[in-house]
Amino acid sequence: MIAYKRGIRRMLPVWMAVVMQAAFLLAGTRHAWAEGGNAEFVGADTCLGCHSTHEGFKKNIHAKAIPNAKGIPFEKTCETCHGPGSLHAGAGGDKNNPDFATITNPSKLKPADAAETCLKCNEGGKRMHWKGSTHDMKNVSCVSCHSMHNEKANGGKAPLLKKASAADSCFACHAEKKAQIRKSGHMPLVEGKMGCTGCHNPHGSPAEKLLAKNTVPETCYACHQDKRGPFMWDHAPARENCATCHDPHGSHNEKMLVTRSPLLCQRCHVGGRHPATAYGQSAADTGANRLKYKGCINCHPQVHGSNHPSGKWLVR
């Protein structure tokens, strides 16, 4: 018992030091919180007094939309996203002053937190599926693609992209698609006649591959309505998924096919002693168009479907 009491006496100074240090840190935390809690709105003119490089924000779609759509006057636009700025302004640009960090900078937040800031005004519509989307799960932030202050981005109009086009924004991550678009057969992105967002919704979608439509065929039919049907005789692969035969981003084959005919067709039609199947037989005996004409569509041109009474085999 005596030894136990002596041990307690020896440890008492250590315990006291720990308690005093904890109390000091807690007091500092409370003090910092109290200062941050006293921050007040100072107005956009005060912000622009130091951040003169953002003067063009007045011409930005945000500066115009927030008052019209949200009823927030221009003076409060900066602090709507960044928080009250009185303490930050009082720091006078001194980054060593704790008050300097009392505002929110979305570009330095975690992607989910930055998105939360943006979604306070931009939730719904095409962004209703953002949470849990592919880009959200891969920690892509709104500010990864968009420039909130730059008046030159898209001429100050939506969607305020950092890059010159939606395609350039996408290519920053999807380099393999950029290579495909440069192939001989490609979507007309290079010519500027369409953009990635014509088929995909980068802000989230219930469909696969962030498609703007529900399915691949529905997406293709938005432009290729002549392939939609309905047909009296339809081709099942064409009905189910256009990407079964076509590469939607680019290919060196005609019609952006994933491979050349007849090999494309023979991925499914490999039997039946058809002239296109010379497997195990002599080409001279079968007259194989695999070796002669090299194209199934020479006889079956209606590969997407036929409305002819005799078009069962898609020949007319």
Side-chain angles (χ1 to χ4, degrees), residues 229-252:
F231 298 111
M232 181 180 297
W233 311 101
D234 64 358
H235 192 193
R239 180 184 68 245
E240 294 169 359
N241 192 337
C242 306
T244 300
C245 297
H246 301 277
D247 192 316
H249 294 98
S251 168
H252 283 313

Side-chain angles (χ1 to χ4, degrees), residues 121-137:
C121 291
N122 297 293
E123 193 169 19
K126 291 184 177 181
R127 292 163 292 278
M128 65 183 299
H129 296 292
W130 171 261
K131 293 183 178 179
S133 68
T134 301
H135 284 155
D136 180 30
M137 299 301 290

Side-chain angles (χ1 to χ4, degrees), residues 19-42:
V19 171
M20 290 178 67
Q21 185 177 9
F24 175 78
L25 292 174
L26 181 59
T29 302
R30 288 178 177 172
H31 177 69
W33 177 86
E35 287 186 345
N38 291 330
E40 298 177 352
F41 289 96
V42 295

Side-chain angles (χ1 to χ4, degrees), residues 1 19 25 51 84 89 93 126 160 163 170 191 198 227 268 288 291:
M1 179 63 70
V19 171
L25 292 174
H51 301 280
K126 291 184 177 181
L160 294 176
K163 303 290 186 179
C170 299
E191 295 80 6
K227 305 298 189 292
C268 296
L291 303 178

Side-chain angles (χ1 to χ4, degrees), residues 29 55 63 220 243 247 284 298 305 311:
T29 302
E55 185 70 28
C220 299
D247 192 316
N298 289 328

Side-chain angles (χ1 to χ4, degrees), residues 42-55 58 75 78 89:
V42 295
D45 287 336
T46 300
C47 300
L48 293 174
C50 293
H51 301 280
S52 58
T53 55
H54 295 325
E55 185 70 28
K58 293 180 179 179
E75 271 297 294
C78 300

